[in-house]
Amino acid sequence: MRRLVWNELLPKDRYVVRIVRPISFAETGFVTQLYLPLIGVESYSLYQLLVHGVQEISAATTEGTHRSLMLTTSLSLDRLLDARERLEAMGLLEVRRRENQQRDYYYEYLVKPPLTPSEFFADYVLSLMLLNKIENIRFQQLRQLYADVLGNQLDQEYSNVENITKDFHEVFQSLKPSELEVKKGSEREQFLTEMETSFPQAALKSNYEAQVNHPLSVSSLRLYLPDNADSAKVLDGSSMELLYQLCHFYQLDSWGMGQELRDWTLYKADRSLDGEVLRKRLVQRYTEDKLYRNTPAATTGDDEWGPGRLPEPGSEAFVRACRLLSPLALLERVVGGRVSKVFLDRAETLVFADGLQPEVANALILHTLASMQMELPKAYMETIRDSWKAKRIATVDEAVKQILDRADQRAQTQEKTKGSKKESAPVRRNGRAVLQDKLPASVEWQLAQESSANESTKGKLISDDPELSKMLESLRKRPK
């Protein structure tokens, strides 16, 4: 069906161009070499027109009507809209539509920088799309153009790296607090306030990083459903919630999940999605290394833990890993690569069968690995799982508190056990323990009373007792 462009965009609609941060000459080259074969000449020309329409020094915005864009690019309205949407799909442009009370539209175009070559080639979809467009020889030339051979050699030959960068306060030690103090109502405060009011700065971001934008979207998944699937049932309610959970667990985007939803055997007779069959399929696909996955999210401080090293419970690295990583990505980080089917089943069951939050499941996995010598025994995990579910543990902070409390109780129990063992140490003769019968409690009490009586009379003389002294004197005076 033909698209009604006039319902979406009119030549009289105004637009304004902003830029997220200045785009360098090298990044313009990335767009030319890597993106041009994918987006085409029309989208490339539109991107260059928008970029160079903004002053990079001040990021001052430019405005105009879409009629002026049509005249400058020699594109009809429908071709201009198609060119713009290709830029949106590649993450080079973000579009916001504003509306006033008179129902007039005003479009805001936010121009974004491209991916770096390493990020572009690391993306599975973009890399293969480029290869299909330009074929092997040109693809090899681009990989060679953006290769860093010397950097790779340094990483291999000089593997020990030490960061010796000076901190700000190490260099500027003479900076005094009085130099940074601005008193309220002073002339300096009035001057700074006037500068903020008269010359507002553009919202540029020095720390903005380009990223691949393949979020899970309903409109994208609808395109992959087979004929025996009802999109209203598959992409609504609990089924959509399950899809989001699976995408997070396996690091899948819309394209990767769409490839799995193509299988017609995943759907029931009523054309709804069978969640259990999809779960089993993803487990099998991961085991066979056939899933189209994103790169797992990296945590800061990568050297803090990894294969053979676990973060300490309660530490910042422990909490950060539980919150940022999916249970599968966590296990891959621990083992240093793909995990076995046993480990995968343990983690998958905690999230999808037992209903634990991913961050709580991560805490349980790390605790079990630390307690059971890097193993995941099923019985041990089920015991702790039931205990945490009974206590309604729903966050990683609550899980960490339980782990630390359990460790304290175990330490106190071990101390008491050691003390009792010392007190009840068996009698040994010739290096062997001598078995002794335990007397009844009444007999032990009687022996204790006799022992105390003997202790009380031990060391006393007859002269110390008046009655005994009189009896002794009477015996001595008796006639013989």
Side-chain angles (χ1 to χ4, degrees):
M1 187 175 69
R2 187 175 180 181
R3 183 177 183 181
L4 300 177
V5 182
W6 294 86
N7 292 338
E8 303 178 44
L9 186 67
L10 294 176
K12 69 173 185 177
D13 290 336
R14 292 186 296 169
Y15 72 91
V16 63
V17 183
R18 302 181 187 275
I19 192 167
V20 67
R21 66 165 173 81
I23 296 178
S24 65
F25 179 77
E27 289 174 327
T28 305
F30 299 160
V31 177
T32 304
Q33 300 288 355
L34 303 177
Y35 287 84
L36 176 58
L38 304 181
I39 62 179
V41 177
E42 295 179 353
S43 297
Y44 176 79
S45 302
L46 178 60
Y47 182 79
Q48 296 292 340
L49 178 62
L50 296 178
V51 168
H52 294 290
V54 180
Q55 299 180 17
E56 293 189 357
I57 297 178
S58 61
T61 57
T62 58
E63 64 175 343
T65 63
H66 286 83
R67 175 180 171 80
S68 63
L69 285 179
M70 295 168 60
L71 295 175
T72 305
T73 58
S74 299
L75 297 176
S76 59
L77 188 61
D78 57 341
R79 292 169 59 188
L80 180 65
L81 185 58
D82 290 339
R84 192 194 76 184
E85 291 179 345
R86 284 193 291 270
L87 295 178
E88 298 170 22
M90 286 293 174
L92 298 175
L93 186 66
E94 184 175 327
V95 181
R96 300 185 180 95
R97 187 172 66 178
R98 300 177 180 270
E99 184 180 358
N100 59 12
Q101 296 180 352
Q102 288 75 31
R103 303 297 300 272
D104 294 328
Y105 290 136
Y106 204 112
Y107 290 83
E108 184 179 1
Y109 295 150
L110 182 64
V111 182
K112 295 183 176 181
L115 298 172
T116 63
S118 60
E119 294 170 336
F120 186 94
F121 288 119
D123 185 83
Y124 184 83
V125 177
L126 297 181
S127 181
L128 282 185
M129 285 179 63
L130 181 63
L131 178 60
N132 294 333
K133 284 286 185 179
I134 61 178
E135 298 185 349
N136 296 358
I137 297 179
R138 180 56 182 165
F139 189 83
Q140 180 180 351
Q141 292 175 350
L142 291 177
R143 290 300 301 258
Q144 184 177 0
L145 175 64
Y146 295 114
D148 186 8
V149 180
L150 179 59
N152 187 39
Q153 291 177 353
L154 288 176
D155 292 338
Q156 295 179 357
E157 298 178 8
Y158 300 87
S159 57
N160 296 328
V161 182
E162 179 184 3
N163 191 344
I164 59 174
T165 307
K166 293 288 185 180
D167 185 69
F168 176 83
H169 295 286
E170 291 184 63
V171 179
F172 297 96
Q173 298 179 3
S174 60
L175 193 63
K176 300 178 182 179
S178 60
E179 299 181 42
L180 303 178
E181 183 181 1
V182 179
K183 295 183 180 180
K184 191 173 182 179
S186 62
E187 182 180 352
R188 173 163 292 188
E189 186 195 27
Q190 296 176 4
F191 174 76
L192 293 176
T193 304
E194 182 183 355
M195 293 296 101
E196 291 290 334
T197 306
S198 304
F199 307 104
Q201 297 297 299
L204 295 177
K205 300 179 182 178
S206 61
N207 59 342
Y208 176 81
E209 295 182 1
Q211 56 185 355
V212 182
N213 187 20
H214 301 310
L216 185 65
S217 62
V218 177
S219 58
S220 300
L221 293 179
R222 188 178 288 110
L223 302 175
Y224 299 101
L225 298 180
D227 295 336
N228 65 321
D230 185 355
S231 59
K233 296 180 179 180
V234 175
L235 305 177
D236 189 21
S238 59
S239 296
M240 198 65 197
E241 182 181 357
L242 175 63
L243 293 179
Y244 273 109
Q245 292 177 342
L246 290 171
C247 286
H248 175 260
F249 187 87
Y250 290 100
Q251 298 97 45
L252 300 175
D253 54 19
S254 293
W255 189 81
M257 177 58 74
Q259 303 309 307
E260 308 305 326
L261 295 179
R262 289 178 181 272
D263 190 353
W264 63 272
T265 60
L266 298 178
Y267 305 95
K268 302 178 184 178
D270 61 351
R271 305 180 68 187
S272 63
L273 178 66
D274 193 333
E276 292 298 321
V277 177
L278 177 59
R279 283 177 52 196
K280 293 179 181 179
R281 174 184 172 86
L282 292 179
V283 171
Q284 179 182 358
R285 295 273 291 176
Y286 176 86
T287 306
E288 298 173 355
D289 195 14
K290 293 182 178 179
L291 278 181
Y292 302 101
R293 305 172 61 207
N294 292 328
T295 304
T299 58
T300 57
D302 291 339
D303 56 342
E304 295 181 2
W305 66 283
R309 294 177 299 163
L310 298 177
E312 291 293 331
S315 64
E316 182 182 354
F318 185 97
V319 176
R320 185 171 59 244
C322 292
R323 287 176 175 169
L324 297 182
L325 298 178
S326 73
L328 179 58
L330 180 78
L331 286 174
E332 289 178 334
R333 177 79 176 273
V334 171
V335 303
R338 298 181 57 79
V339 301
S340 63
K341 189 176 185 298
V342 176
F343 274 32
L344 174 61
D345 289 337
R346 297 284 191 273
E348 203 261 359
T349 302
L350 289 177
V351 177
F352 299 102
D354 301 332
L356 293 182
Q357 293 294 329
E359 61 182 51
V360 178
N362 286 337
L364 176 55
I365 291 172
L366 289 176
H367 173 60
T368 305
L369 290 172
S371 304
M372 306 304 293
Q373 299 179 351
M374 305 301 285
E375 295 182 359
L376 294 178
K378 183 178 180 180
Y380 184 85
M381 295 184 67
E382 290 178 347
T383 301
I384 301 179
R385 176 206 65 193
D386 294 342
S387 174
W388 286 9
K389 291 182 70 174
K391 297 175 182 178
R392 297 184 178 182
I393 304 299
T395 63
V396 64
D397 295 328
E398 297 174 349
V400 168
K401 185 177 183 302
Q402 290 294 322
I403 294 173
L404 297 180
D405 291 345
R406 183 182 176 88
D408 292 340
Q409 294 175 1
R410 189 184 298 111
Q412 294 175 3
T413 303
Q414 291 177 353
E415 290 180 359
K416 292 180 180 179
T417 304
K418 290 180 181 178
S420 61
K421 286 183 178 179
K422 291 181 179 178
E423 294 177 358
S424 60
V427 180
R428 292 183 174 274
R429 293 177 182 174
N430 298 328
R432 296 182 179 179
V434 178
L435 299 178
Q436 294 179 339
D437 294 332
K438 187 175 181 180
L439 298 175
S442 59
V443 177
E444 290 184 353
W445 181 84
Q446 183 66 29
L447 291 175
Q449 294 295 324
E450 294 178 358
S451 176
S452 61
N454 293 335
E455 289 293 334
S456 62
T457 58
K458 185 177 180 180
K460 291 185 178 181
L461 301 176
I462 296 177
S463 59
D464 296 335
D465 192 339
E467 295 182 0
L468 292 177
S469 298
K470 290 180 181 181
M471 292 176 63
L472 181 59
E473 287 295 331
S474 63
L475 289 174
R476 288 177 178 176
K477 292 180 180 180
R478 280 184 183 182
K480 296 181 179 178

